[in-house]
Amino acid sequence: MNTRAAAVSRPTILLAAGAALALSLLAIVNPVLGIHVPPTFVGENVNSCEDLGLSGAGWNLAAASVQAGTHTYTNGAWSITITADAAGADGKNFSFSNASPPVLKLAVKAGDGYYLYDYSPGGATADTGLITPNTGDNDPEAPQAGLSHFFICFGQSQSQSQSQSQSQSQSQSQSQSQSQSGEGSVAAGTGTPAESQPNTAMSFGGSNPLPTAAFGLILLASLAGLAFANVKAARSRS
């Protein structure tokens, strides 16, 4: 290997090292929100988040409101973009995106039951490959049933979670202040502040970017060592 070859290879190695580090940082600041989970068939109807093991209100999006193609649907503070292969009760294959807040659980009701897609606890803003169950109590030999409705349970938005956290912090500060001053007492029937709910808008489907970052740093160190050895060898032969 001559000196010119070493001089050419050094910036190339450094460029590759920088690219590896950039990819690692990208995985941290911009994680993927779309995940696919296998569905679970439940042979009954679904009309509430309680049916899905969650508390709070949910959205019953009837088949009559679902259009073929890609459309965005809103209900108060909830919003979701759904892509359907056909309109209304003819729909059997779906995907969703841009869910705000993130979806914790989504049920696709058709025929004698529904397919449950569970994204809890982190939630998901997008997923593909959602389908209706088969007819005949999801008989594997039977055809797919037409859509009856979606039932969607959303998580909390970032602003809701921050508001609850601030409220809890203020309540705890007031309690500590009263305890230190010896003044005030807890009125009968007054409960403790509710725990802050997880910030589902900042959760990313359980994806952990740390292995990717670690790999990038290891690759960076290896390439730096190689560059140093390359330059040292070139100087010794010049």
Side-chain angles (χ1 to χ4, degrees), residues 6 16 19 24 36 38 64 70 81 99 113 126 142 157 165 207 225 235 237:
S24 301
H36 181 73
T70 302
T81 299
S157 65
S165 298
S207 175
R235 290 178 176 175
R237 294 181 182 182

Side-chain angles (χ1 to χ4, degrees), residues 4-86:
R4 181 176 182 181
V8 172
S9 62
R10 182 183 180 188
T12 302
I13 293 174
L14 293 177
L15 180 61
L21 181 59
L23 288 173
S24 301
L25 294 175
L26 180 63
I28 295 177
V29 302
N30 190 27
V32 177
L33 300 185
I35 58 174
H36 181 73
V37 296
T40 300
F41 177 72
V42 181
E44 57 188 40
N45 200 4
V46 54
N47 287 303
S48 70
C49 287
E50 291 183 357
D51 293 339
L52 303 180
L54 297 174
S55 60
W59 183 3
N60 189 323
L61 180 58
S65 300
V66 178
Q67 304 176 53
T70 302
H71 299 275
T72 298
Y73 305 87
T74 58
N75 183 359
W78 300 328
S79 177
I80 189 170
T81 299
I82 295 177
T83 300
D85 62 343

Side-chain angles (χ1 to χ4, degrees), residues 143-187:
Q144 280 182 263
L147 178 68
S148 168
H149 63 273
F150 296 108
F151 199 91
I152 310 171
C153 298
F154 292 89
Q156 287 185 318
S157 65
Q158 181 179 0
S159 60
Q160 288 174 326
S161 180
Q162 289 176 344
S163 177
Q164 284 196 359
S165 298
Q166 291 173 357
S167 177
Q168 180 186 12
S169 177
Q170 291 174 356
S171 297
Q172 290 177 342
S173 298
Q174 291 175 356
S175 177
Q176 292 175 355
S177 177
Q178 290 177 352
S179 176
Q180 292 173 356
S181 64
E183 298 177 355
S185 60
V186 178

